[in-house]
Amino acid sequence: MAKKKFLAIITRFEDINSIKVTWKYFLDKLSNNFEKVYFISSEGLEFYPRYINHNLNDIKNKLPINFELFNPKNTKEFSNFLDDKDLIVINHFGKYFSSIKIHYLLKKFDIKQIQVTSVGQHNFSMFIENTNFVRKIIYKLRKKIIPKLVILLGNLGLIAKVDIRFISNKAILKKIFGSKFKKFLYEKKFFFAKELILVNSFASDIKQQKEIKIAEDYIVHLDASLNYNHETELRGYFDDRRIKDHYLNLEKFLKTLSNLFNKPVKVCIHPRYNLTEHKKFFPDFEVIQFKTRDYVYKAYIVTTFDSSAVIDAIMLKKKIIGITSDHMSLNETRHSLGWSNIVGYTNLNTKNIDFEKKFLLEQLENNLEKYENYIKDYLKFDESLSGAEKVINTIKERYFKI
């Protein structure tokens, strides 16, 4: 009996709430173009598998109706699942030590995989302060050495490589074709992704489709937790006193902007943050989760430390203020300043609250045209076809054509 072909996204189910927010537009497009799409949990397929009995009804909430969930306990269950199915996998599990086994399984079962990384984000290098030698070694092992090992295993034919990676970062292609050596490696398929295809970012697609009403109702702050794991794995946890002082200065800063422009403040946080805990940092403001994009569209001014959610504000040419704090680490400060420099928006320290309204407003408005270079390099390249359409058309042409 011939197997039926399906599209599947492999990821940790603990990440699906984030995916439902950041990929909502893309998931809806997949739903409209494929009979059925599977979300498959990676947790039971990794090295040292850790099966989690997720509440699938909660996870399925707000997913398109033709999306189905599969939470395999182990490799055997995954193998049985494949008995009558031929999968094309969207890889949302990366190049980590734990995921090497998943790449091996895709090779074993001859499953093609693609990646969709068209979020429009510039990736900054991480700065590790020389305060903990062991932490520095562990971080470099996880983020530098193991990804290179995964690439080596792929080139040796021991694990599956990525067929196509969809990107919205022109700089990647510029680096490849600007170097004879990298161009040679790419043309000979030595990169982990055999082919890179440039597409418009989802931020560009959403603006183009006019799916969300644009307004100028709020000061929208995109908060970044100082003690979130992306930072603590670099330098450990900050103490309560430091966190408290950080948020006292931030709240004063936001209140000053609110009073100056007569706009209420809305604080938006990452889907994986603890909402109850985060509300304690902002007793005088509404803290919102899972609706960041909606509020960025309604923003008069957007303030941000180091959040990829600022992409929508750039695409919309909203007035943006990058902010730093004396209580941030050097890595966080560098990233905040880096965003401001590469996009072209103003950056202020939270302790500086002596604003002159007319001067600040002129500065913010004059910055808007500077965004255009970022938009051209990271967000929008094709006037005729949306990024999601190009991804879906390519998948259908390469893998589902009869």
Side-chain angles (χ1 to χ4, degrees):
M1 184 179 70
K3 293 185 177 183
K4 191 166 183 179
K5 192 167 287 190
F6 293 101
L7 191 66
I9 302 167
I10 297 184
T11 187
R12 289 185 172 182
F13 274 10
E14 64 190 24
D15 292 334
I16 288 188
N17 279 338
S18 296
I19 296 171
K20 284 192 285 190
V21 173
T22 56
W23 277 20
K24 182 183 182 305
Y25 170 83
F26 182 52
L27 297 181
D28 288 342
K29 294 298 180 185
L30 291 178
S31 172
N32 293 336
N33 282 274
F34 295 93
E35 177 187 350
K36 185 185 292 184
V37 179
Y38 285 97
F39 262 113
I40 300 175
S41 172
S42 65
E43 290 140 336
L45 305 177
E46 300 170 353
F47 280 135
Y48 312 110
R50 51 187 190 94
Y51 172 74
I52 301 172
N53 188 22
H54 294 282
N55 186 326
L56 299 187
N57 288 329
D58 283 351
I59 293 174
K60 194 169 174 61
N61 182 38
K62 295 186 179 179
L63 280 174
I65 194 167
N66 58 338
F67 274 60
E68 292 198 9
L69 305 176
F70 176 53
N71 186 21
K73 293 180 181 178
N74 49 46
T75 303
K76 188 175 187 302
E77 282 197 2
F78 182 61
S79 176
N80 292 340
F81 176 78
L82 296 173
D83 281 346
D84 60 348
K85 300 176 188 69
D86 182 10
L87 296 186
I88 305 301
V89 162
I90 297 179
N91 172 336
H92 198 276
F93 53 86
K95 297 196 292 282
Y96 302 98
F97 179 76
S98 61
S99 66
I100 292 176
K101 183 181 173 184
I102 305 175
H103 289 289
Y104 167 74
L105 292 173
L106 298 186
K107 175 77 175 178
K108 178 181 178 181
F109 294 113
D110 194 25
I111 297 172
K112 304 296 183 184
Q113 63 171 323
I114 63 173
Q115 280 186 310
V116 181
T117 56
S118 52
V119 294
Q121 180 178 351
H122 177 84
N123 293 316
F124 294 97
S125 59
M126 306 297 276
F127 178 79
I128 310 171
E129 298 177 51
N130 292 314
T131 55
N132 190 315
F133 179 75
V134 174
R135 183 175 283 119
K136 192 169 186 176
I137 293 297
I138 292 172
Y139 182 82
K140 287 193 173 183
L141 179 67
R142 289 182 64 240
K143 298 294 186 178
K144 302 288 186 182
I145 297 172
I146 289 176
K148 286 181 170 59
L149 172 63
V150 173
I151 295 169
L152 175 62
L153 293 174
N155 284 324
L156 291 174
L158 300 176
I159 63 174
K161 295 172 75 171
V162 171
D163 265 18
I164 306 169
R165 180 184 171 196
F166 296 94
I167 60 172
S168 61
N169 183 341
K170 261 188 196 174
I172 294 174
L173 295 178
K174 287 179 180 177
K175 285 181 180 178
I176 291 172
F177 291 103
S179 162
K180 289 183 179 180
F181 180 62
K182 288 182 179 179
K183 183 181 177 184
F184 169 81
L185 293 178
Y186 178 66
E187 290 175 344
K188 298 300 180 182
K189 310 296 185 186
F190 284 113
F191 282 25
F192 195 66
K194 300 174 188 176
E195 182 179 1
L196 301 174
I197 297 180
L198 192 67
V199 298
N200 288 343
S201 67
F202 293 153
S204 169
D205 288 357
I206 292 164
K207 183 192 174 190
Q208 185 92 9
Q209 298 297 318
K210 300 180 180 177
E211 295 212 345
I212 307 173
K213 181 182 176 183
I214 301 173
E216 293 189 334
D217 299 333
Y218 309 114
I219 307 289
V220 174
H221 172 61
L222 309 176
D223 199 45
S225 172
L226 295 187
N227 275 341
Y228 192 51
N229 56 18
H230 291 315
E231 297 298 334
T232 57
E233 66 182 1
L234 298 176
R235 41 78 174 160
Y237 285 87
F238 286 157
D239 60 46
D240 291 345
R241 179 75 257 173
R242 185 167 183 167
I243 299 294
K244 183 177 180 181
D245 289 344
H246 168 79
Y247 279 106
L248 284 174
N249 283 348
L250 176 57
E251 194 165 42
K252 288 178 184 176
F253 179 88
L254 294 173
K255 283 181 178 178
T256 301
L257 286 178
S258 178
N259 293 333
L260 197 64
F261 294 103
N262 195 29
K263 302 281 184 181
V265 171
K266 303 291 182 181
V267 177
C268 294
I269 64 170
H270 192 277
R272 293 190 69 177
Y273 287 1
N274 185 314
L275 179 60
T276 302
E277 288 298 313
H278 225 85
K279 284 181 176 180
K280 297 175 184 177
F281 300 140
F282 297 99
D284 297 330
F285 300 140
E286 183 181 5
V287 181
I288 298 155
Q289 197 171 34
F290 306 122
K291 294 183 179 179
T292 299
R293 175 167 283 136
D294 292 339
Y295 277 91
V296 168
Y297 267 69
K298 297 173 186 175
Y300 177 66
I301 292 173
V302 173
T303 63
T304 177
F305 288 110
D306 171 23
S307 170
S308 60
V310 77
I311 295 298
D312 287 303
I314 298 166
M315 191 69 226
L316 294 166
K317 291 191 174 179
K318 293 284 186 178
K319 293 180 280 291
I320 304 171
I321 300 176
I323 47 181
T324 57
S325 160
D326 287 350
H327 306 286
M328 292 162 61
S329 68
L330 187 54
N331 181 66
E332 292 157 301
T333 301
R334 285 186 172 189
H335 284 193
S336 177
L337 293 173
W339 270 109
S340 297
N341 290 334
I342 196 169
V343 179
Y345 55 75
T346 296
N347 198 293
L348 301 171
N349 190 290
T350 55
K351 70 182 179 183
N352 298 327
I353 57 175
D354 186 20
F355 305 132
E356 200 283 303
K357 180 178 179 179
K358 182 179 178 182
F359 174 78
L360 179 60
L361 190 58
E362 284 180 357
Q363 190 177 39
L364 297 179
E365 289 177 343
N366 288 338
N367 288 340
L368 300 181
E369 288 309 309
K370 299 177 185 177
Y371 301 179
E372 196 59 38
N373 287 334
Y374 190 92
I375 292 170
K376 289 177 180 177
D377 284 342
Y378 293 89
L379 300 179
K380 186 172 184 178
F381 325 98
D382 190 339
E383 295 292 338
S384 62
L385 197 64
S386 75
E389 287 175 321
K390 191 168 182 179
V391 171
I392 289 167
N393 290 350
T394 304
I395 293 172
K396 285 183 172 181
E397 178 69 25
R398 301 283 184 93
Y399 306 109
F400 286 84
K401 193 172 182 179
I402 299 174

